[in-house]
């Protein structure tokens, strides 16, 4: 790696205050993220940026600022996760960077998959009837699956969306929950509601729920059903038992698509070895028509510390496993 110290300047054009704000972020949070991830110092004065650090990192930072400013012509407001995912690709070889962006067009917005694994995941969902997305929290597994489901519904490729979760408490005994069945299961399905509200709007979601076009269902209620013309998402698949996973997969009917997401490092079952997600990955890994996308800690699009936390836990568990062996 080139460790030669370098200081270079970059002037962006055309001048556009909205695009400049989109690049820099609120209180320059995007610039601080670029500095931290590339190990450089960035000083800004208007549309001119002064970048200092080792030569290779400075070059990467210049390309990053220039490319992201070009990006603001299409997406005026960039989110921190957009910066994060872009920076995940800049250190890769040029041939690896091809195809590291893919768009999902829905009526309300355009949702962009970034990075090799997110793009592979979206393509797999489009090309296969049954898809598994496995990996750490914060990698976009559920969000992108919901986006693909909304796109399919709006394009009338399916007639309904069915969102499913196993009802398993995450290490806490919540006890009796008041209300009817919908109110009881609502806390477990909240992440799915959040994604739908963002993509369709609050009123639209509740209209579709009332009409049965969108269903949010506990996994236990899936037995005996045959799901035709549907886009079905099973979230938190690591908390299914082997029997439940088999039951779910055999519900899929004609003109239907299923996506199963999960993180095998966060299993809440009393016996980890009974996870239906782990078992399915072993049994179905070479089955034609079924795809598996494995996400990595580098795909995490939440706060940068989340990626660090995931990696630290992975190292700790790997070291413990090695000691036992």
């Amino acid at each position: 790696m080139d460790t030669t110290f370098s200081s270079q300047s970059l002037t962006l054009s055309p001048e556009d205050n909205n695009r400049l704000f989109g690049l820099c972020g609120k209180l320059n949070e995007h610039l601080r993220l670029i500095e931290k991830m590339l190990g450089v110092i960035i000083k800004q004065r208007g549309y001119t940026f002064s970048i200092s650090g080792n030569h290779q990192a400075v070059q990467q930072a210049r390309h990053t600022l220039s490319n992201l400013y070009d990006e603001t012509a299409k997406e005026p407001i960039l989110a921190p996760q957009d910066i994060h995912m872009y920076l995940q690709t800049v250190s890769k070889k040029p041939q690896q960077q091809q195809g590291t962006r893919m768009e999902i067009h829905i009526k309300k917005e355009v949702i962009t998959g970034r990075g090799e694994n997110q793009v592979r995941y979206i393509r797999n969902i489009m090309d296969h009837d049954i898809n598994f997305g496995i990996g750490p929290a914060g990698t976009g597994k559920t969000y992108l699956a919901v986006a693909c489901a909304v796109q399919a519904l709006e394009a009338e490729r399916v007639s309904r969306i069915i969102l499913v979760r196993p009802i398993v408490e995450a290490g806490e005994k919540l006890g009796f929950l008041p209300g009817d069945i919908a109110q009881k299961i609502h806390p477990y399905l909240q992440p799915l509601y959040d994604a739908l509200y963002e993509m369709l709007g609050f009123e639209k979601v509740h209209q579709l729920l009332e009409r049965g076009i969108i269903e949010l269902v506990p996994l236990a209620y899936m037995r005996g059903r045959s799901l035709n013309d549907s886009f079905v998402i099973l979230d938190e698949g690591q908390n299914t038992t082997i029997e439940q996973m088999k039951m779910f997969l055999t519900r899929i009917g004609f003109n239907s698509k299923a996506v199963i997401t999960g993180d095998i490092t966060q299993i809440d079952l009393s016996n980890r070895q009974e996870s239906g997600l782990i078992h399915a990955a072993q049994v179905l890994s070479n089955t034609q028509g079924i795809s598996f996308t494995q996400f990595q800690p580098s795909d995490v699009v939440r706060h940068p510390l989340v990626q660090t936390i995931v990696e630290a836990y992975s190292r700790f568990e790997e070291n413990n496993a090695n000691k036992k062996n």
Side-chain angles (χ1 to χ4, degrees):
M1 180 177 177
D2 186 354
T3 58
T4 306
F5 182 83
S6 176
S7 182
Q8 301 181 27
S9 64
L10 170 69
T11 301
L12 299 173
S13 64
E15 296 186 0
D16 184 316
N17 287 335
N18 291 330
R19 290 176 59 184
L20 183 65
F21 176 78
L23 171 66
C24 298
K26 186 178 180 180
L27 301 176
N28 287 339
E29 63 177 336
H30 297 166
L31 299 185
R32 302 292 81 83
L33 182 57
I34 294 170
E35 284 182 323
K36 184 175 181 179
M37 294 190 71
L38 296 183
V40 297
I41 297 173
I42 301 174
K43 295 181 179 179
Q44 177 206 0
R45 188 166 185 175
Y47 293 87
T48 299
F49 297 78
S50 175
I51 310 163
S52 303
N54 78 64
H55 182 72
Q56 182 177 341
V58 168
Q59 289 294 100
Q60 288 182 335
R62 288 184 84 255
H63 289 306
T64 296
L65 291 170
S66 179
N67 292 340
L68 289 176
Y69 192 67
D70 290 342
E71 192 84 0
T72 60
K74 296 177 286 185
E75 296 182 46
I77 302 299
L78 297 176
Q81 55 262 37
D82 296 325
I83 310 299
H84 176 87
M85 291 304 295
Y86 178 86
L87 290 170
Q88 291 297 334
T89 67
V90 296
S91 61
K92 297 179 180 179
K93 296 178 181 179
Q95 61 268 28
Q96 292 178 308
Q97 294 184 31
Q98 300 301 316
T100 54
R101 172 191 171 99
M102 192 170 186
E103 295 179 343
I104 303 170
H105 292 264
I106 60 177
K107 290 179 180 177
K108 192 175 179 184
E109 61 180 316
V110 176
I111 294 167
T112 304
R114 298 177 184 274
E116 292 179 53
N117 285 327
Q118 284 197 354
V119 170
R120 183 182 299 114
Y121 183 54
I122 295 169
R123 285 182 176 149
N124 281 341
I125 291 174
M126 292 180 175
D127 294 341
H128 298 83
D129 289 336
I130 296 179
N131 304 271
F132 288 80
I134 302 173
T139 50
K141 305 182 300 295
T142 301
Y143 187 80
L144 291 175
V146 173
C148 289
V150 170
Q151 183 188 54
L153 182 67
E154 291 182 342
E156 299 183 354
R157 292 197 296 272
V158 297
S159 61
R160 58 182 173 168
I161 297 173
I162 301 175
L163 306 175
V164 185
R165 260 196 172 199
I167 305 302
V168 178
E169 295 167 347
E172 300 178 71
K173 297 300 180 184
L174 301 180
F176 173 77
L177 293 175
D180 59 22
I181 186 63
Q183 292 170 320
K184 292 177 188 291
I185 66 172
H186 188 280
Y188 295 95
L189 301 173
Q190 190 62 52
L192 299 173
Y193 277 106
D194 291 342
L196 287 171
Y197 290 153
E198 183 175 333
M199 296 175 201
L200 291 170
F202 185 85
E203 291 185 5
K204 181 69 172 178
V205 169
H206 283 275
Q207 288 173 4
L208 295 174
L209 284 168
E210 289 175 1
R211 293 164 57 191
I213 293 174
I214 294 179
E215 291 185 58
L216 292 100
V217 188
L219 178 60
Y221 284 38
M222 294 293 289
R223 188 173 296 279
R225 299 188 65 176
S226 181
L227 305 175
N228 297 315
D229 200 29
S230 304
F231 197 117
V232 192
I233 299 173
L234 171 59
D235 195 32
E236 299 290 336
Q238 76 276 6
N239 288 328
T240 63
T241 63
I242 295 171
E243 293 78 12
Q244 285 176 325
M245 180 63 76
K246 180 181 177 182
M247 180 271 290
F248 172 80
L249 292 172
T250 54
R251 300 304 95 203
I252 309 306
F254 294 104
N255 191 40
S256 287
K257 192 177 290 286
V259 180
I260 300 93
T261 70
D263 176 3
I264 60 174
T265 69
Q266 296 194 27
I267 297 173
D268 299 316
L269 299 172
S270 56
N271 185 349
R272 176 185 173 87
Q273 301 305 316
E274 292 181 355
S275 171
L277 183 61
I278 293 178
H279 185 260
Q282 296 168 344
V283 172
L284 303 173
S285 59
N286 296 316
T287 303
Q288 188 173 3
I290 299 179
S291 78
F292 286 82
T293 305
Q294 179 66 56
F295 290 89
Q296 303 299 328
S298 59
D299 297 312
V300 172
V301 291
R302 293 179 183 167
H303 191 289
L305 272 177
V306 175
Q307 178 182 336
T308 304
I309 291 167
V310 170
E311 291 172 340
Y313 271 94
S314 295
R315 287 195 301 271
F316 180 82
E317 291 169 1
E318 186 177 338
N319 289 337
N320 277 353
N322 291 337
K323 288 178 182 177
K324 290 179 181 179
N325 293 332

